[in-house]
Amino acid sequence: MIHLMIVDDEERARTGIRSLIDWTKHDITIVCEARDGAEALELLNNVHVDILLTDIRMPEMDGLSLIEHVTNDYPHIKCVIMSGYDEFAYAQKALTIGASDYLLKPSRTQEILDTVLKLKAIIEEARHQENTLEKLKVGFRESFPLLKEKTLSRLVMTDNPPFERLLANLHINGEAFPHLFFGIIVLQIDNLHMLQRKYDQEDIELFKYGVKNIAEETFSALFRCAAFEHQDDIIVILNTEDWTGIDELNQHAAEVQQHIRQYLKFTVSIGIGSFDPGINHLRISYQESIRALDMKYFIGTEKIVDYKETVDDDPVHTSYPLSQEKAIIQAVATGDQNAIAERLNAFNEALKPASTSKEHIQKSMLALVFALYRYCIEKNINTNDVFGESLTELTHIIEHSSMDYIVQTLTDVLLKASEQLHVKKNSNKMFQSVLDYMEHNYHKDINRETVAREVFITPGYLSFLFKQELKTNFLDHLHKIRIDHACRLLHDRSMKLSDIAHAAGYNDEKYFFQIFKKYIGMTPTQYRNNLGADSL
């Protein structure tokens, strides 16, 4: 049952919405009505509401304010704003602050009903997904998967395992493989790292548990089967009386993909190994499935690949495309975005995905990343601005994503590096103009603010540039320029010290003496006398 609330200061409008539509027919009940936003908020303290239908212009509290409160305090409620044609701007604003939809007054009853039914479908879908996840949680907590998973893993992953003892352990857990033929399918969650960004680890484990459940339930119509997890993959052991062909396996694999997409809201790719007699064939079938899934790395996501479509490791095509790497770095240096994308594609093409291994592709992509990282360090670019705080996530993407997504991610990284390099170059040019201005105007009454104004930057950014480029501050550099000039003038004994101080930019002779001694280690008089001693 969906609970609906109507908020409108006109009783006739509320009565019309309530009486002209047969809400109960659609499993919807109007749980309360309010004359304005303030009254509605009071009612919401005690009444559960799923959909709120509200006018805009109302006394006490208008519809926009009401929606803001509801969005913050009751985020599950779907809000629909009702407005006239002259209030359409308000309706647009309502959508930006949390409204799910809007209706223009006067609205036909069918329009109101269609809008509410659309939101009802969204709510029911969310409830269904929540119930599905809750059931998975209950099953996950109540099961004892650890011993079973370790046993299944040893059956498949180890050479010459103790089959009899392992099968006896499985029998204790109610698992048996009584038939002659064995085979393996492997399921990989596409772009797993994207889910790991969005959900915590408990949710990720729950999703894997859901994948196992769906795979086992789907294939159990045809096989005795059991699923377990290995390094983020889901491995399913299939056991049957008769040899099974690829077409039949593909059909069931597609059904698994459909159910996962529908109920778990992500996609998987599936590798299929061969069927042969004997439990010792599991290891071979698993290796075939993994090699088949390597193809997914090249051809995209949500694929079903069987063992006949494996990739040959041809050593002729395993050299690293060094010239393409240099071309990419050159494009980054010039800032040509189109060239960056084109040369990365050329790098990808040079790896010849059709005739090389997934491992070689991954190593080559990582080598490109490290080459870019080294280039950023050489150019004094902050690597955190390009790669984040570490390379771990980028490495994870390369190891667990499709080729299309890897190329997209690396393109973004290359563009970031190019942008940071461009910013660095512009900063260098700007800073050089600052230094030039100071060299030509040190004798004037200049300070950090006046110099920053000359080059159209803020004083704070000017200080940042000095710290970054010279590891000093503005005032120290200005004093250095002035004192260097004063030292040159002191060679001319005809000039008075007061004239030298003024020529160097100091109006106060006493202050000039203090600064000079601080930077030179002696007074101007002592410096000039030492010049005389040197000349003797």
Side-chain angles (χ1 to χ4, degrees), residues 52 86 188 210 221 233 250 297 316 404 463 524 535:
L52 186 146
D86 58 337
Q188 287 182 350
D233 293 342
N250 277 336
Y297 191 79
V316 175
D404 289 343
S463 296
S535 63

Side-chain angles (χ1 to χ4, degrees), residues 23 139 283 344 390 455:
W23 295 107
R283 176 77 170 155
L344 180 58
S390 72
V455 293

Side-chain angles (χ1 to χ4, degrees), residues 59-127:
E60 201 69 25
M61 180 186 291
D62 64 15
L64 293 179
S65 299
L66 173 60
I67 289 174
E68 283 187 303
H69 282 288
V70 170
T71 301
N72 291 330
D73 299 336
Y74 307 95
H76 70 279
I77 295 178
K78 306 293 183 185
C79 297
V80 179
I81 197 84
M82 297 184 294
S83 68
Y85 284 98
D86 58 337
E87 301 171 325
F88 184 69
Y90 291 100
Q92 289 179 309
K93 183 178 179 182
L95 293 175
T96 65
I97 63 176
S100 300
D101 212 333
Y102 68 89
L103 290 165
L104 291 177
K105 287 184 173 182
S107 301
R108 298 193 304 273
T109 56
Q110 189 60 45
E111 290 176 339
I112 297 173
L113 177 61
D114 288 345
T115 300
V116 173
L117 289 179
K118 179 176 68 174
L119 296 177
K120 174 177 180 279
I122 293 173
I123 292 170
E124 289 177 340
E125 173 63 22
R127 287 178 179 175

Side-chain angles (χ1 to χ4, degrees), residues 16 34 37 96 107 110 161 215 228 246 262 264 295 311 323 352 358 384 391 396 407 426-427 480 509 529 534-535:
T96 65
S107 301
Q110 189 60 45
F228 64 96
I246 290 298
Q262 180 179 356
L264 300 181
M295 282 295 295
V311 179
S323 60
K352 298 187 181 297
K358 172 182 176 181
N384 288 349
L391 293 175
H396 188 70
V407 171
N426 286 343
S427 296
K480 183 179 182 302
E509 187 176 348
N529 290 337
D534 291 341
S535 63

